[in-house]
Amino acid sequence: MNKPLVGACFAVLFLGATAGPATAVGPETSVEPKVKAVDFAGTVALSNCSGAVVRVPGSQSGDPAFVLSNGHCLESGFPAPGEVVVDKPSSRSFTLLNASGGRLGTLKASKIAYATMTDTDMSLYQLTSTYRDIERKYGIKARELNAARPEQGRAITVASGYWKKMYKCGVDGFAYRLKEGSWTWKDSVRYTPACQTIGGTSGSPVIDDVTGKVIAVHNTGNDSGGRCTDNNPCEVDENGKVTVREGINYGQQTYTLVPCVGIGNKIDLGRPGCTLPKPVGGLR
């Protein structure tokens, strides 16, 4: 994992970009999709990770807002394989950033609405503030989660609120299974090599440069060429073949979260289309 930071962590940031796929406009002409200027607005810094204020397409302005990060960024430590956290009280604080990465203020959690490291690596905090509160006080709108699976070849930005740095690259493809130590994640997004993320970038939103929507939450990378070990995830295909890609980084898709959010931004793992892991013993 691009692990949460315990002490200071320093690395050189390499920036790069890839263009999105061309869109045909006539029999002999094509244009590149217009790439938006992705900024830090709505991203947050945690004590050890990155994150972002997010909404699903059905979220309302009066709903309590969400902050998205990784399951391995929880204040209580890494969830065990098979562990799912739902509606657990939390008073965690988040530093909200403006478009240029400057500090706007502090947001507070009321609970961990959902978190796990099984099949995905995701934490979703419910805040004491509504989306309307945040927009009125800070002029910041939440980033919307894309409701559809991302496409290979899209230009993306991994926006780290912790480091106030952006990593620009593309969606290189998808890992059927991504295995790291005790954890296994499904259908992970693999980045092109330009996104050389580091510790503290965990939990960063992965933003589609054309739509501006969040398609994934960044969580890991193969640091030193190890095979399926901590900080060295490996890809496993449908036939069990293992592939190691040293220096390549990954995120967990977030469209799977959208069907699991009901009225009032309430997590409902029993909703139609919700495939996120449920707590052992059923919903509670």
Side-chain angles (χ1 to χ4, degrees):
M1 279 156 273
N2 286 130
K3 54 187 176 296
L5 298 183
V6 178
C9 179
F10 302 94
V12 177
L13 172 64
F14 296 93
L15 296 178
T18 57
T23 301
V25 295
E28 296 180 355
T29 62
S30 65
V31 297
E32 295 292 333
K34 185 177 181 180
V35 176
K36 297 183 178 180
V38 176
D39 57 34
F40 290 104
T43 61
V44 301
L46 285 65
S47 58
N48 57 353
C49 285
S50 300
V53 180
V54 299
R55 62 185 297 274
V56 299
S59 296
Q60 301 299 306
S61 62
D63 291 341
F66 285 140
V67 161
L68 175 71
S69 190
N70 285 147
H72 79 259
C73 293
L74 290 181
E75 61 267 44
S76 55
F78 292 10
E83 182 180 359
V84 176
V85 178
V86 177
D87 291 339
K88 181 179 179 180
S90 173
S91 58
R92 195 164 196 185
S93 61
F94 311 90
T95 301
L96 179 66
L97 305 182
N98 63 18
S100 61
R103 183 184 185 280
L104 283 175
T106 300
L107 302 175
K108 295 283 188 180
S110 62
K111 66 180 180 180
I112 302 167
Y114 183 85
T116 191
M117 287 180 67
T118 298
D119 294 351
T120 185
D121 185 4
M122 179 188 301
S123 62
L124 195 69
Y125 287 85
Q126 181 174 299
L127 302 182
T128 58
S129 305
T130 66
Y131 295 114
R132 183 186 297 117
D133 294 335
I134 295 170
E135 186 168 0
R136 285 179 176 175
K137 186 172 183 179
Y138 301 111
I140 293 294
K141 293 184 177 181
R143 292 198 172 270
E144 185 174 321
L145 300 183
N146 197 340
R149 187 176 184 270
E151 301 172 359
Q152 186 174 2
R154 301 292 286 191
I156 57 173
T157 299
V158 181
S160 170
Y162 186 95
W163 287 111
K164 301 178 180 61
K165 291 187 179 293
M166 292 188 178
Y167 302 75
K168 291 186 173 292
C169 57
V171 176
D172 183 57
F174 305 90
Y176 175 72
R177 296 290 185 266
L178 191 67
K179 182 173 176 56
E180 180 173 344
S182 301
W183 294 276
T184 300
W185 303 305
K186 296 180 177 179
D187 201 21
S188 303
V189 178
R190 180 177 63 247
Y191 315 147
T192 53
C195 279
Q196 290 294 305
T197 53
I198 59 176
T201 58
S202 287
S204 299
V206 182
I207 302 166
D208 185 303
D209 286 356
V210 173
T211 66
K213 295 181 180 181
V214 176
I215 64 163
V217 56
H218 170 67
N219 78 310
T220 195
N222 187 291
D223 290 347
S224 57
R227 179 184 171 100
C228 315
T229 61
D230 289 350
N231 303 314
N232 288 287
C234 63
E235 298 184 22
V236 184
D237 70 13
E238 296 91 331
N239 299 313
K241 179 183 176 182
V242 174
T243 300
V244 174
R245 303 178 190 268
E246 183 176 358
I248 295 300
N249 294 286
Y250 302 86
Q252 302 307 309
Q253 298 187 48
T254 49
Y255 80 96
T256 55
L257 178 59
V258 175
C260 306
V261 181
I263 295 173
N265 266 6
K266 173 67 177 178
I267 296 295
D268 181 357
L269 300 179
R271 295 188 83 225
C274 180
T275 59
L276 289 179
K278 299 172 175 60
V280 175
L283 300 178
R284 58 177 183 264

